[in-house]
Amino acid sequence: MADTILVTRSSMPSLDEYVEEIKTIWDTHWLTNMGPKHNEFAEKLKEYLGVDYIELLVNGHMALELTIQAMNLKGEVITTPFTFASTTHAIVRNGLTPVFCDIEPDTYTINAEQIESLITDRTCLILPVHVYGNICNIEKIEAVAKKYELKVIYDAAHTFGETYQGKGIGTYGDASCFSFHATKVFNSIEGGAVCFRDARLGDALWDLKNFGIHGPEEIAAVGANAKMNEFCAAMGICNLRHIDEEIAKRKMVALRYRERLSDTPGIKISKEQKNVTPNYAYFPIVIDENMFGASRSEVFSRLEKEGVGARKYFYPLTNTFSAFHGRYDVEKTPVALHISKRILSLPIYADLEMKDVDRICNVILECKI
Ligand code: T4K
């Protein structure tokens, strides 16, 4: 059988480049606790993302969880169920109640037109996800947030390096949380960051990520530990040097998929969004069994048999997780339910060869009646 192809493969610098980057760590013996690599990485990211304020965290989940905590909120959070577990877990783990809003059928992002109807006197926050790198309806979300004086945190885990209307995506909302996990467009092995508008949020995040330590004898807040270590920061510094090239290579993969699959009845591919510089984080297709002649599960199994690891991101919806014991009514998010049963994320990464993209497309097209 041909080589296995997984849904993604971590981007890495050459071994020499990484070794060169970490050499100074052997001089200083400084491994963590906001050392020189951490601080250099933060400065470089600020510039690349075009943001005023940034705080590095141990991963994307803690970025979300601690940002919510830093805002000291109570009540309900309007969010999407069409996402990775992390988004909903971050809300629930803060003692807040998620209120699930349906999604748009084309971008799979929160249906901003429905948010207002879900607002109650307990609503404190809107937490949308720029899922797959598709940008939410920012204008509408921010208008509703302003009208009802609500905070907005974007889950920007999939959106590294994207711009909207010429501005870094991390500049929108009160805060945007990025993931630098190994499976992301840009990785620092594990890692995450929060970009935010108000410097006071940075002070609270700093306390939360480092035990509230203000000095050797001054513990001013009840914080946790969510610091990024020096080896992760060094990986981030290396990967950042190559990010534009990585995204350009992903673009070629995405274009090939589009060329091969977009005219196929029963296979839907989202359009590129206006005023967005995309990062080609994921390549999801929605399979309509009646039109295509094979279901998502059939295509998934056929690909698996051929050594191709497509993934059902994001199925199941978070509002159906057994962890929540039937607490949420999935019937309230019918579009999300419909899409989650039909969507399949195809492999995409910078080094995916065109012959492999063709191989994947051939397997998919052979599933047709
Ligand atoms: N918000 C959203 C919307 C998210 O999607 C995520 C994470 C978060 C928040 C939280 O961010 P983090 O706390 O994770 O920074 C993966 C990732 O673990 C997760 O980061 C990601 N979203 C989610 C969508 O996908 P799995 O369970 O699918 O990963 P796994 O281990 O099956 O890996 C997928 C493929 O990636 C493998 O088949 C091969 C490749 N891979 C994986 C690893 C771990 C590599 O090439 N190298 C690696 O080191 O969750």
Side-chain angles (χ1 to χ4, degrees):
M1 203 214 281
D3 289 342
T4 301
I5 303 168
L6 298 175
V7 70
T8 193
R9 194 165 74 153
S10 301
S11 297
M12 295 172 81
S14 71
L15 181 59
D16 287 347
E17 183 178 347
Y18 187 62
V19 169
E20 192 54 38
E21 192 62 48
I22 60 175
K23 263 186 186 154
T24 52
I25 301 178
W26 264 258
D27 302 330
T28 60
H29 287 233
W30 197 272
L31 305 181
T32 186
N33 286 10
M34 282 69 85
K37 295 289 173 200
H38 170 285
N39 297 340
E40 181 186 340
F41 184 35
E43 282 310 307
K44 293 203 153 114
L45 277 174
K46 236 161 70 176
E47 198 185 317
Y48 186 81
L49 297 173
V51 297
D52 292 332
Y53 299 109
I54 195 165
E55 204 54 68
L56 299 185
L57 279 303
V58 67
N59 57 46
H61 178 77
M62 290 313 283
L64 276 173
E65 192 169 315
L66 295 187
T67 302
I68 298 171
Q69 194 178 346
M71 287 181 178
N72 204 12
L73 304 167
K74 283 192 179 52
E76 295 172 352
V77 180
I78 298 177
T79 189
T80 168
F82 190 75
T83 181
F84 189 57
S86 172
T87 320
T88 306
H89 285 6
I91 296 167
V92 175
R93 286 172 57 78
N94 268 292
L96 301 169
T97 306
V99 173
F100 293 102
C101 183
D102 212 351
I103 60 168
E104 292 185 4
D106 296 322
T107 61
Y108 322 124
T109 57
I110 198 164
N111 187 333
E113 300 298 334
Q114 293 182 7
I115 292 176
E116 203 162 356
S117 68
L118 298 172
I119 292 175
T120 69
D121 55 5
R122 299 196 66 229
T123 308
C124 55
L125 171 70
I126 306 174
L127 204 170
V129 181
H130 300 304
V131 68
Y132 306 127
N134 292 339
I135 303 301
C136 301
N137 182 346
I138 288 178
E139 283 80 14
K140 180 71 190 178
I141 291 168
E142 312 236 320
V144 174
K146 194 165 169 206
K147 183 169 166 191
Y148 292 90
E149 296 182 0
L150 300 172
K151 298 276 186 202
V152 179
I153 301 174
Y154 288 105
D155 182 336
H158 301 173
T159 330
F160 186 84
E162 293 198 342
T163 63
Y164 176 60
Q165 312 267 37
K167 278 170 55 185
I169 197 65
T171 59
Y172 294 94
D174 294 284
S176 293
C177 299
F178 292 91
S179 162
F180 309 149
H181 184 262
T183 55
K184 296 295 188 293
V185 168
F186 171 77
N187 82 79
S188 62
I189 309 174
E190 290 264 7
V194 187
C195 301
F196 46 92
R197 281 204 174 132
D198 182 343
R200 283 170 303 181
L201 186 68
D203 296 339
L205 279 168
W206 180 271
D207 279 345
L208 287 171
K209 82 174 190 180
N210 191 28
F211 307 105
I213 295 173
H214 285 205
E217 298 181 17
E218 170 69 2
I219 310 299
V222 190
N225 177 2
K227 295 160 287 176
M228 178 182 285
N229 70 59
E230 292 291 276
F231 288 89
C232 288
M235 183 64 116
I237 291 169
C238 293
N239 280 336
L240 196 58
R241 290 189 192 112
H242 308 285
I243 184 66
D244 292 338
E245 193 190 323
E246 294 282 306
I247 292 176
K249 285 178 164 176
R250 283 174 170 270
K251 179 176 180 178
M252 301 316 290
V253 172
L255 289 178
R256 185 65 145 245
Y257 275 132
R258 276 186 190 280
E259 192 187 318
R260 292 288 317 274
L261 299 176
S262 56
D263 291 336
T264 308
I267 290 191
K268 197 177 99 183
I269 299 169
S270 296
K271 292 198 188 80
E272 289 211 354
Q273 293 179 290
K274 283 202 193 104
N275 301 319
V276 173
T277 319
N279 66 4
Y280 309 96
Y282 292 83
F283 199 89
I285 59 171
V286 173
I287 301 169
D288 177 334
E289 182 178 356
N290 295 331
M291 281 169 78
F292 181 62
S295 68
R296 185 267 304 269
S297 287
E298 284 163 340
V299 176
F300 174 83
S301 302
R302 186 70 177 273
L303 284 166
E304 199 175 36
K305 216 166 125 223
E306 297 294 330
V308 178
R311 290 292 286 266
K312 295 176 192 169
Y313 297 136
F314 287 100
Y315 173 86
L317 297 177
T318 68
N319 54 2
T320 67
F321 285 177
S322 56
F324 299 129
H325 309 288
R327 210 177 298 157
Y328 310 113
D329 182 1
V330 71
E331 299 302 325
K332 291 189 172 156
T333 54
V335 178
L337 186 61
H338 180 91
I339 298 291
S340 76
K341 288 180 175 168
R342 289 163 180 80
I343 204 152
L344 193 60
S345 280
L346 302 182
I348 186 162
Y349 46 91
D351 293 332
L352 185 59
E353 292 184 33
M354 289 305 148
K355 70 171 175 42
D356 288 329
V357 179
D358 285 338
R359 189 181 127 206
I360 295 164
C361 294
N362 292 344
V363 176
I364 295 170
L365 295 172
E366 279 161 18
C367 295
K368 274 197 302 186
I369 340 172

